[in-house]
Amino acid sequence: MNKETLKEWLASERHELLDGTKQAIRQYVAQLRAQHSDIYGFALLPGETYEIKDLVAAWNRTQDIKKDGSYYRYCVDEWIHWDHKALSAVTPLIAVLNQQFSGLHSKDADDFVMDEFEIAHIRAYRSTFTRALRELKSEGVFDFPNADPYLAIWFSDSGSDIIFASVKELNSQRIIDEFKSAFE
């Protein structure tokens, strides 16, 4: 393993992944908006905190909230609309990146602790997905008619730092404050 080559690759922009993710989300959200006027939240679920293989889209409407309170509004695990196929066009892009990473990175198969390169690889995905949502929001893709949109990158059943970072970066101060009151 050439560490310098790997570091250079990890630092490179993932333009194809960014563009493909944006296109898939843009198309999916357009379909949702045509069918539902009361969507308030959209989230990306990129697998496990230690391994990204595909993207799941989740969304929720006000009428879908199970109980009153910020927790049920903002906890994606509680939402009822999860689509495992909507963003499937992104899966081959992720597979290519994972294959490239595997070709550049090696470690003992019995070592289950993530090393600095594996962590950087996951962070690069997180950064790309956050950037995609941020850019789509600025384009107006998430201008839901009856709501200040709530956007997140979510790892189910976790308190992952990316959840909190994405909420802070992608949402209005009102939503950030409500989210914090429910989860901190």
Side-chain angles (χ1 to χ4, degrees):
M1 170 172 66
N2 181 326
K3 289 183 180 183
E4 291 308 312
T5 301
L6 181 54
K7 285 180 182 179
E8 186 177 301
W9 182 83
L10 287 166
S12 66
E13 292 287 328
R14 298 177 177 206
H15 294 291
E16 191 172 345
L17 178 63
L18 176 67
D19 294 342
T21 300
K22 286 174 62 176
Q23 183 62 23
I25 293 170
R26 191 180 290 114
Q27 290 173 346
Y28 184 59
V29 171
Q31 292 171 356
L32 291 176
R33 290 176 60 166
Q35 297 171 348
H36 307 283
S37 64
D38 58 346
I39 296 172
Y40 71 85
F42 184 86
L44 291 180
L45 292 89
E48 303 294 333
T49 56
Y50 56 87
E51 183 177 42
I52 309 297
K53 289 186 178 179
D54 59 8
L55 280 178
V56 172
W59 55 278
N60 217 33
R61 301 173 300 174
T62 304
Q63 69 191 43
D64 299 324
I65 299 172
K66 295 177 184 178
K67 297 180 184 177
D68 287 340
S70 296
Y71 177 81
Y72 291 97
R73 173 174 285 277
Y74 299 120
C75 181
V76 176
D77 290 331
E78 299 293 335
W79 291 3
I80 63 172
H81 304 284
W82 289 40
D83 194 327
H84 295 267
K85 296 179 183 177
L87 306 177
S88 62
V90 179
T91 303
L93 302 173
I94 293 171
V96 166
L97 289 169
N98 286 340
Q99 186 177 30
Q100 290 172 348
F101 178 75
S102 293
L104 295 168
H105 178 264
S106 62
K107 74 179 217 179
D108 183 353
D110 293 330
D111 185 357
F112 298 105
V113 176
M114 291 178 69
D115 64 27
E116 66 181 292
F117 303 109
E118 292 166 310
I119 292 168
H121 183 52
I122 297 298
R123 284 187 178 147
Y125 278 124
R126 294 174 180 182
S127 175
T128 301
F129 297 144
T130 301
R131 181 176 172 191
L133 290 174
R134 184 179 61 247
E135 289 179 9
L136 290 170
K137 182 178 180 180
S138 72
E139 293 172 17
V141 170
F142 301 108
D143 288 350
F144 301 130
N146 300 314
D148 180 9
Y150 165 61
L151 303 173
I153 296 176
W154 196 268
F155 289 91
S156 289
D157 298 323
S158 85
S160 177
D161 62 333
I162 187 60
I163 294 172
F164 294 92
S166 70
V167 168
K168 185 175 181 182
E169 185 170 339
L170 298 169
N171 294 283
S172 68
Q173 190 60 49
R174 181 189 63 79
I175 288 177
I176 294 167
D177 292 344
E178 289 177 10
F179 182 88
K180 283 181 180 180
S181 74
F183 292 98
E184 288 187 343

